[in-house]
């Protein structure tokens, strides 16, 4: 990063904070001054915290958000994927409960010919990120060198590694401060944070899954669309092809929430090909994964249109090539897949059923409350240094809207202590409502934001 002494003499952080507090705008070089100062120590964290709060309330205009994103990218190294033959692609979800689409969509897209290099940070969310889920596979290592990552992507078309420490250091610092100052939920700060990492990670094609609802950052579809359009624009200005699927996160995605449970569910879907026979609870997860894989193929130019992309993804699911690619990828990174193949990855000490107290139609479980229960069981972390229990979580046995009889098993709690299992079972039963009338089930996929930022409702696709 460049010497900040010249900038230091021209700007006052105090004045910049006051201007943003009063609703004014920051110039590109003022944003540079701030972030460079934050990293070299000349701007103390308390001033960055104050600036973040001012941004939280006043927002950033598009030019400021672009400048912030570019400065975060410039704060560290960038991965150079240009030596890899073929189309390099990445997929990113803004985060949700039970969201293991990456584990299904990426092997499918790789099996169809895309080259996928993904960096995944350890999550501070209540239920673990992709890196945490993969760590549930014995022996799997996320710390490949850059040369190993490039070789693996060139060879089998898929690698997932931990966030490189030298990539976007400014985001790391900003995120830690946002996390401690209640300023995470800011649309421009989320957009700059996500897209700076995606741009620095080097892929040419990026498909975003922007979620809304109680288990997501964005409360409703309108704000998810706004975030998606901004992120698509940020990617395009950096020369990347980006689209965003807008999907609901009011209730958990698929059947499982918890790290090993989620890997097992993703494996079941890939392994069984037709997947949902006998497991209606996973149908939404399967569908969204196919849509995301198809979108990657279409955007990457490997499918002539979206419908062909989805169809190619379906074929890779049905013929087992996606499953083979998942196994190949896990093994290439040291993973022992024998338990996964045998359906024995989940080894929790205590498994307790949650039963329907009455007969009726099962309402959708609230994603945020399920996340709290799963965090209580030990599947997520509050601080980065917290240990995760990979074996714990919840598995739903009935889909929302199903007719259930009193005494039917609605879900299972996986826990490492009986006390926690009993508490979680009681809490889960408290949030699973059985209704006399069929509940309204929100459509899973709301629509899409295309490369030009156009909003395409799902019904029109
Ligand atoms: N994920 C990120 O990487 N950054 C944010 O700000 C929010 C979610």
């Amino acid at each position: 990063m460049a010497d900040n002494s010249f900038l230091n003499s021209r700007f006052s952080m105090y004045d910049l904070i006051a201007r943003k507090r009063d609703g004014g705008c920051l110039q590109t070089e003022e944003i540079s001054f701030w972030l460079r100062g934050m990293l070299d120590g000349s701007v103390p964290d308390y001033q960055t915290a104050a600036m973040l709060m001012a941004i939280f309330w006043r927002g950033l205009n598009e030019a400021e958000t672009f400048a912030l994103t570019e400065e975060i990218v410039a704060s560290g190294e960038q991965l150079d994927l240009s030596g890899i033959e073929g189309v390099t692609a990445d997929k990113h979800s803004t985060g949700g409960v039970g969201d293991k689409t990456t584990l299904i969509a990426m092997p499918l897209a790789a099996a169809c010919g895309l080259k996928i290099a993904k960096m995944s940070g350890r999550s501070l969310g209540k239920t673990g990120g992709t890196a945490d889920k993969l760590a549930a596979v014995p022996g799997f290592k996320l710390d490949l060198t850059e040369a190993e990552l490039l070789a693996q992507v060139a060879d089998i078309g898929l690698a997932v590694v931990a966030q490189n420490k030298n990539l976007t250091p400014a985001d790391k610092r900003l995120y830690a401060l946002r996390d401690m100052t209640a300023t995470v939920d800011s649309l421009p700060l989320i957009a700059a944070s996500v897209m700076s990492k995606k741009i620095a990670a080097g892929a040419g094609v990026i498909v975003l899954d922007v979620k809304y609802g109680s288990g997501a950052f964005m409360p409703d579809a309108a704000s998810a669309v706004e975030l998606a359009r901004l992120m698509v624009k940020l990617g395009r200005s950096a020369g990347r092809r980006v689209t965003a699927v807008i999907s609901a996160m009011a209730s958990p995605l698929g059947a499982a929430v918890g790290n090993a449970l989620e890997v097992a569910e993703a494996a079941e879907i890939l392994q069984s090909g037709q997947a949902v026979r006998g497991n209606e609870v996973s149908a939404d997860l399967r569908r969204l994964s196919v849509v995301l894989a198809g979108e990657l193929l279409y955007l990457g130019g490997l499918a002539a249109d979206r419908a062909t992309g989805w169809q190619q993804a379906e074929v890779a699911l049905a013929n087992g090539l996606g499953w083979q690619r998942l196994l190949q990828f896990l093994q290439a990174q040291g993973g022992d897949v024998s338990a996964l193949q045998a359906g024995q990855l989940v080894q929790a000490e205590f498994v307790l059923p949650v039963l329907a107290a009455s007969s009726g139609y099962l309402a959708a479980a609230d994603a945020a409350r399920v996340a709290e229960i799963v965090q209580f069981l030990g599947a997520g972390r509050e601080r980065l240094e917290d240990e995760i229990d990979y074996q714990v979580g919840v598995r739903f046995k009935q889909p929302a809207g199903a007719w259930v009889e009193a005494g039917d098993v609605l879900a299972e709690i996986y826990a490492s202590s009986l006390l926690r299992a009993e508490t979680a079972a009681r809490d889960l039963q408290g949030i699973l409502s059985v209704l006399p009338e069929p509940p309204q089930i929100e459509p899973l996929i709301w629509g899409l934001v295309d490369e030009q930022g156009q909003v395409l409702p799902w019904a029109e696709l």
Side-chain angles (χ1 to χ4, degrees):
M1 184 168 269
D3 176 15
N4 212 25
S5 49
F6 170 66
L7 291 176
N8 271 344
S9 60
R10 289 180 55 208
F11 300 117
S12 141
M13 195 60 204
Y14 180 96
D15 290 345
L16 300 187
I17 296 167
R19 193 188 319 140
K20 182 46 75 181
R21 178 200 64 197
D22 296 339
C25 294
L26 303 174
Q27 300 303 312
T28 298
E29 49 187 12
E30 293 170 336
I31 291 174
S32 300
F33 159 76
W34 163 35
L35 290 200
R36 291 175 195 191
M38 174 187 74
L39 285 179
D40 72 18
S42 57
V43 171
D45 282 352
Y46 56 79
Q47 285 191 312
T48 293
M51 178 61 97
L52 289 169
M53 189 55 85
I55 292 173
F56 181 88
W57 284 109
R58 293 295 188 172
L60 292 175
N61 66 25
E62 228 169 76
E64 291 173 302
T65 312
F66 277 55
L68 179 65
T69 307
E70 280 169 15
E71 192 60 36
I72 296 174
V73 172
S75 71
E77 294 171 6
Q78 294 187 52
L79 198 58
D80 180 6
L81 302 179
S82 62
I84 294 173
E85 214 176 300
V87 181
T88 55
D90 196 354
K91 177 236 159 224
H92 182 85
S93 159
T94 55
V97 183
D99 183 5
K100 67 293 275 180
T101 53
T102 291
L103 300 177
I104 304 167
M106 294 204 322
L108 292 177
C112 294
L114 282 178
K115 302 290 184 185
I116 300 183
K118 182 166 174 60
M119 295 210 172
S120 180
R122 295 204 298 163
S123 172
L124 265 179
K126 290 189 165 64
T127 62
T130 298
D132 302 309
K133 299 180 214 290
L134 286 167
V137 177
F140 185 85
K141 58 182 170 69
L142 284 150
D143 54 344
L144 301 189
T145 64
E146 194 173 318
E148 286 170 334
L149 166 73
L150 296 177
Q152 186 174 315
V153 174
D155 186 23
I156 62 167
L158 179 54
V160 180
V161 295
Q163 195 78 48
N164 178 328
K165 288 184 207 58
N166 305 324
L167 232 70
T168 60
D171 176 65
K172 209 164 180 203
R173 189 69 165 268
L174 284 174
Y175 197 90
L177 288 169
R178 286 166 63 205
D179 202 40
M180 285 185 285
T181 56
T183 52
V184 168
D185 294 351
S186 148
L187 196 137
L189 293 178
I190 294 173
S193 166
V194 169
M195 290 314 293
S196 60
K197 289 192 285 263
K198 295 288 110 184
I199 292 164
V205 166
I206 301 162
V207 171
L208 304 168
D209 180 9
V210 181
K211 296 189 176 294
Y212 65 93
S214 86
F217 282 115
M218 295 294 119
D220 49 37
S223 55
V225 166
E226 200 187 338
L227 175 63
R229 294 184 75 183
L230 183 56
M231 293 202 289
V232 165
K233 253 192 193 174
L234 288 170
R236 202 170 62 200
S237 80
R240 314 303 163 89
R241 305 193 67 175
V242 189
T243 57
V245 173
I246 311 293
S247 65
M249 185 29 77
S251 54
L253 186 59
V257 186
N259 298 290
L261 282 159
E262 292 191 38
V263 178
E265 185 186 10
E268 275 164 36
I269 289 179
L270 286 169
Q271 194 170 16
S272 59
Q274 300 308 318
V276 287
R277 242 188 268 124
N279 187 1
E280 294 301 323
V281 200
S282 296
D284 57 351
L285 167 67
R286 181 190 192 278
R287 184 153 156 262
L288 183 56
S289 303
V290 165
V291 165
L292 291 167
E295 185 66 19
L296 279 163
L297 294 167
Y298 168 62
L299 195 60
L302 271 63
D305 50 37
R306 289 203 163 89
T308 310
W310 302 334
Q311 205 183 347
Q312 288 177 357
E314 284 285 359
V315 170
L317 191 53
N319 66 16
L321 287 181
W323 168 234
Q324 293 306 326
R325 196 56 61 113
L326 177 73
L327 294 176
Q328 219 179 347
F329 144 70
L330 293 173
Q331 285 175 308
Q333 292 187 220
D336 175 352
V337 295
S338 47
L340 188 66
Q341 280 177 303
Q344 290 170 352
L345 186 69
V346 183
Q347 299 282 347
E349 235 169 298
F350 299 93
V351 182
L352 282 196
V354 176
L355 307 180
S358 57
S359 301
Y361 295 95
L362 182 62
D366 181 81
R369 299 189 64 188
V370 172
E372 280 163 19
I373 292 170
V374 172
Q375 186 177 38
F376 166 76
L377 288 167
R381 55 170 78 77
E382 271 170 48
R383 286 165 307 168
L384 267 181
E385 60 276 18
D386 289 349
E387 289 286 321
I388 276 188
D389 188 338
Y390 295 107
Q391 293 296 334
V392 301
V394 170
R395 179 144 187 155
F396 292 92
K397 306 298 272 186
Q398 297 284 349
W403 172 265
V404 295
E405 298 288 342
D408 279 358
V409 178
L410 301 181
E412 285 169 344
I413 300 287
Y414 291 70
S416 47
S417 96
L418 187 58
L419 185 62
R420 276 184 192 254
E422 286 171 344
T423 307
R426 211 173 316 117
D427 288 351
L428 189 62
Q429 189 163 44
I431 66 167
L432 289 178
S433 311
V434 175
L435 311 168
E437 300 292 331
Q440 282 267 352
I441 308 279
E442 194 181 6
L444 173 65
I445 304 178
W446 184 91
L448 198 116
V449 171
D450 75 7
E451 272 190 278
Q452 279 69 46
Q454 287 194 80
V455 181
L456 311 173
W458 191 245
E460 292 168 25
L461 279 167

